[in-house]
Amino acid sequence: MKTASKQKTKASAEKLYTLLAGIAEGLEKLYECLRLQQAALMKWDFPSFSATISQQKRLARKNLEREKERIALVSEITGKQAAEKLSLRQLAESLGGEWPERFEKLASRIKTASGKVSSMKDQNESIINNSRKLVNDQLKLLLELARLNRNLYEGSGKKSEKANMYKVLDQKV
């Protein structure tokens, strides 16, 4: 009976390892996606930016599904309700054997990848906010210049009778 339970535990541990490796790979792909997103932001390439956003959502959704599977698998292995709070180190130690070392390497990979993703996400949000501020400032400047320069001249050089801000903006555009 104990051998069957050990075999089941070993199979579950292998499945968990594969699942965690998938999470690490997903985070690494998400980082690459965010790098492409940053490049699109810097070039002001809206189609590429939109494509990276949809790819980012897809990759994040896959990783969230893997995380739900991980929680279910950990609760199956440990039989505890607090599977979300159980650290990978504690789980690996309870499994014994080669698992602590294998899971430690994988945990390091996940931690590194998630740190890169978080940093890149913060950078991209900063670039988006700065770009938004730049565009808003440019629009305010254009409106202010239009207010200052309400005098429009016709093709003949005469001052226009009905000069208004909208004509100034149309002329500028």
Side-chain angles (χ1 to χ4, degrees):
M1 183 89 174
K2 272 191 170 183
T3 331
S5 117
K6 280 190 177 189
Q7 290 288 55
K8 183 179 178 187
T9 303
K10 184 175 178 172
S12 296
E14 281 291 340
K15 187 175 179 181
L16 179 63
Y17 185 82
T18 304
L19 193 61
L20 289 171
I23 289 173
E25 186 178 326
L27 285 170
E28 290 163 353
K29 286 181 181 178
L30 188 59
Y31 173 71
E32 289 301 318
C33 174
L34 288 171
R35 285 185 56 168
L36 292 173
Q37 187 180 78
Q38 189 176 71
L41 281 169
M42 299 303 283
K43 293 178 186 174
W44 291 71
D45 185 3
F46 185 71
S48 296
F49 176 71
S50 296
T52 58
I53 286 180
S54 60
Q55 183 183 9
Q56 176 186 355
K57 288 179 182 178
R58 184 180 51 80
L59 290 170
R61 193 173 22 252
K62 277 185 181 179
N63 258 7
L64 287 175
E65 290 170 5
R66 287 184 188 121
E67 178 63 15
K68 288 177 184 175
E69 285 181 47
R70 182 200 66 83
I71 291 170
L73 193 58
V74 168
S75 64
E76 178 185 309
I77 292 171
T78 60
K80 295 180 181 178
Q81 293 294 343
E84 293 178 20
K85 296 178 183 176
L86 186 66
S87 75
L88 190 56
R89 180 173 288 150
Q90 293 169 337
L91 178 64
E93 288 172 0
S94 71
L95 292 172
E98 64 185 12
W99 294 111
E101 186 179 313
R102 287 181 72 187
F103 279 131
E104 185 177 335
K105 289 178 183 176
L106 191 57
S108 172
R109 184 176 161 201
I110 290 172
K111 187 175 181 179
T112 302
S114 66
K116 286 180 177 179
V117 166
S118 177
S119 173
M120 187 62 69
K121 185 175 177 258
D122 291 343
Q123 287 177 17
N124 288 357
E125 286 175 0
S126 174
I127 291 171
I128 290 169
N129 288 335
N130 289 339
S131 297
R132 184 178 295 136
K133 185 179 180 310
L134 175 70
V135 169
N136 286 339
D137 289 346
Q138 292 295 319
L139 287 174
K140 286 178 185 175
L141 180 62
L142 180 66
L143 290 172
E144 191 60 34
L145 287 173
R147 281 189 195 99
L148 292 174
N149 186 16
R150 289 185 186 221
N151 297 330
L152 286 181
Y153 296 93
E154 295 175 358
S156 64
K158 290 184 180 180
K159 195 172 185 181
S160 176
E161 299 277 327
K162 298 180 180 178
N164 64 25
M165 189 169 67
Y166 296 106
K167 282 187 178 181
V168 173
L169 289 175
D170 287 342
Q171 192 177 40
K172 294 288 183 188
V173 170

